[in-house]
Amino acid sequence: MMKAKLRNQVAGLALLAPVGLAFVAQPAAAQQQVSAPRITGMSLNADNGLDPGSVLRIEVRGTPGGAASANFGKTDIRVGLRETESGVYRARYTVQRDDRIDPTSTINVRLTRGEVTTRHSFTYPPSFQALAMGAAAASPPGLQAVVPRIERFTTVPVARLEPGRELRYRVHGAPGAVVTLDIPGVASDLPMREAGPGVYEGTYTIRQRDDLDAFSTAIATLRTGERWVMSRLERAFVRDRDQRAPTISNLSPQQGDIVSPVGTTLIAGELDDGAGSGVDPRSVRLVLNGRDVTPQVRVTPDRFEYRADLPPGHHTVDVTVRDFSGKVVSRTWRFDVGQSRVAAAPPGAMPLHLAAPAHGAQVDANGDLVVRGATVPWATVRIRVEAVPPVFGQMLGVAQLVYSDTVEADRDGRFSVRVQPRIPVVPGMRYDVSVMATRGDQAAESRITLHQRG
């Protein structure tokens, strides 16, 4: 276990080894002529030291327009380098199981231009040499403040890898750097833009002839000045580990709600897949009263919304959603839209209409709200407000009665009550408002849900 721990530490140091401090040039193997090409520097980095499977990144700087190669000590491993920009030659090499690379030897570099060849030998960074010494080499003083870093390299899972599918990669690391993406055998040096401080994003659309297995072996390179660091993909496109289906919650209107007919009705809900593969926004399907209205639904990875002018009566909503691993969940619920006018109530039924606030509305920052409506003249109207805070001490998700009062409707049946909850206002708090009107042996009730503005 100590050996495994040591190797992990060494790999980390190798990843952070700076160019300027990592190598000491040794005497050239041959006398250079005045016209000979020059080798001015070299760097070596890796994502897992010299262990099998580790990807070595080699960079040589020198006279432009030449042909460069590198040989690892006394092995037969020779890597050709490609000039990716003027005077900069780069290559990658994956350590094989049978490779025997000695970090205490040298790396021999050749640069040929025309008929003249220059050779230089370079030593390995101290962190690579630590593998042979049995201890991790210490970083040079002040190094930690200036070296590049990659904290995470992830991807957004997809339902299926297929031609035409866009893949999204994301890197979290040092801000203000240059980050590129390599997909072995598919694409190299794809730029990743800095979407936020230290957060880089890049995309690639799968082509017909691409090797689908290559996308899970992508490598990100983060460069700051002359120093750079590489990282392998943390989470590949594997979805069989996702054993949890997504959830649909915080429905609006809620089951059994009576919604005001004034204005449009908001049908909405929240989507979540926890630590799973993620909700696929393109899979959301909403059916209202048997009619598919999905094209008019606004969908994000964590929420769906649909607005419509609905007639009074019963309404049924069916929502289906799938995550990227293929797991499907559905929710069905019903709500009612109230009558538009008091006089429009069915014969024998006691009318009750809430004019304000609208169901799903937001409460102002002070938590004040005014409940207005109409019923039969001189009816007794009772208003109750319960609050459900998102986080409130140990009262997580527990409804609390914050207001209760009874008023009398006027001669036209109208009433208006200013509600001031008696608890501290918490952004994201939900208010369940119940209004009940009674007169004699008649009664009517209406319920709405409001949300505290953040």
Side-chain angles (χ1 to χ4, degrees):
M1 180 172 293
M2 285 296 294
K3 184 177 181 181
K5 182 177 180 182
L6 174 61
R7 283 183 172 271
N8 290 337
Q9 292 173 342
V10 170
L13 289 169
L15 200 63
L16 298 175
V19 174
L21 298 175
F23 299 97
V24 178
Q26 295 182 354
Q31 181 71 27
Q32 294 192 43
Q33 303 297 323
V34 175
S35 60
R38 297 180 56 203
I39 298 175
T40 59
M42 175 187 166
S43 64
L44 176 69
N45 218 320
D47 62 354
N48 196 25
L50 294 174
D51 288 344
S54 179
V55 178
L56 306 182
R57 188 80 176 236
I58 310 159
E59 180 178 301
V60 172
R61 292 178 177 271
T63 303
S69 64
N71 172 259
F72 294 100
K74 299 179 181 180
T75 70
D76 294 329
I77 302 171
R78 182 174 298 277
V79 181
L81 291 88
R82 182 169 59 92
E83 188 174 12
T84 58
E85 55 186 279
S86 181
V88 181
Y89 304 83
R90 297 189 178 102
R92 294 190 305 270
Y93 177 76
T94 301
V95 179
Q96 306 300 308
R97 185 176 298 275
D98 296 332
D99 288 345
R100 296 293 182 266
I101 302 176
D102 182 6
T104 62
S105 63
T106 60
I107 302 174
N108 305 313
V109 177
R110 293 165 49 114
L111 179 59
T112 301
R113 188 182 183 194
E115 298 180 356
V116 182
T117 298
T118 297
R119 298 176 177 84
H120 268 300
S121 295
F122 295 91
T123 58
Y124 285 79
S127 51
F128 282 83
Q129 296 175 356
L131 288 172
M133 296 165 53
S139 299
L143 176 60
Q144 298 301 323
V146 296
V147 296
R149 71 182 190 280
I150 292 179
E151 297 166 359
R152 293 188 64 195
F153 177 31
T154 59
T155 184
V156 177
V158 296
R160 185 169 61 251
L161 292 175
E162 57 186 355
R165 175 80 66 177
E166 183 182 75
L167 308 181
R168 292 188 294 163
Y169 294 89
R170 177 174 293 179
V171 168
H172 294 259
V178 175
V179 179
T180 56
L181 171 68
D182 291 310
I183 304 172
V186 175
S188 61
D189 294 327
L190 299 177
M192 300 183 71
R193 68 180 184 88
E194 190 168 12
V199 179
Y200 304 85
E201 296 180 346
T203 61
Y204 180 81
T205 301
I206 301 177
R207 298 172 301 181
Q208 189 70 37
R209 297 182 179 180
D210 287 343
D211 178 8
L212 300 183
D213 292 333
F215 297 105
S216 296
T217 62
I219 299 173
T221 302
L222 183 146
R223 184 184 302 275
T224 57
E226 296 295 325
R227 302 188 175 105
W228 44 272
V229 63
M230 293 190 306
S231 176
R232 284 188 176 184
L233 191 63
E234 279 185 23
R235 183 174 65 180
F237 297 95
V238 178
R239 294 157 300 283
D240 55 0
R241 298 179 182 176
D242 182 6
Q243 302 298 323
R244 178 178 180 271
T247 60
I248 305 172
S249 60
N250 293 333
L251 302 176
S252 175
Q254 296 183 6
Q255 169 67 29
D257 276 351
I258 301 176
V259 181
S260 169
V262 179
T264 60
T265 300
L266 171 65
I267 299 175
E270 295 182 1
L271 308 173
D272 181 41
D273 196 36
S277 59
V279 171
D280 183 357
R282 293 175 296 183
S283 72
V284 176
R285 182 170 180 263
L286 192 151
V287 177
L288 176 63
N289 300 325
R291 184 170 66 93
D292 191 345
V293 297
T294 303
Q296 289 78 48
V297 178
R298 179 178 178 271
V299 181
T300 66
D302 55 9
R303 183 174 174 82
F304 66 89
E305 292 183 356
Y306 172 70
R307 296 180 182 271
D309 292 318
L310 300 179
H314 302 294
H315 298 275
T316 302
V317 183
D318 295 278
V319 174
T320 303
V321 63
R322 183 182 67 244
D323 65 12
F324 282 109
S325 68
K327 294 179 177 59
V328 180
V329 67
S330 299
R331 286 288 300 271
T332 300
W333 74 101
R334 296 182 62 186
F335 65 92
D336 294 287
V337 173
Q339 299 296 327
S340 59
R341 296 183 300 275
V342 172
M350 183 174 182
L352 174 60
H353 165 59
L354 294 184
H359 179 76
Q362 290 189 335
V363 181
D364 66 27
N366 296 321
D368 298 337
L369 61 101
V370 177
V371 178
R372 294 187 292 108
T375 181
V376 297
W378 316 119
T380 299
V381 181
R382 184 183 181 189
I383 297 95
R384 287 171 55 89
V385 180
E386 293 183 334
V388 182
V391 178
F392 193 74
Q394 299 300 317
M395 304 295 288
L396 177 63
V398 178
Q400 306 170 71
L401 181 64
V402 297
Y403 184 87
S404 179
D405 197 8
T406 301
V407 298
E408 186 179 63
D410 63 16
R411 62 183 181 181
D412 296 320
R414 304 187 182 281
F415 59 90
S416 179
V417 179
R418 177 175 293 277
V419 177
Q420 294 180 306
R422 299 186 299 271
I423 62 172
V425 172
V426 178
M429 182 180 293
R430 189 184 84 219
Y431 296 99
D432 296 329
V433 182
S434 169
V435 180
M436 177 174 287
T438 58
R439 184 179 177 185
D441 59 353
Q442 289 186 310
E445 184 179 10
S446 182
R447 295 176 178 269
I448 61 174
T449 299
L450 309 174
H451 299 278
Q452 180 65 55
R453 180 178 300 153

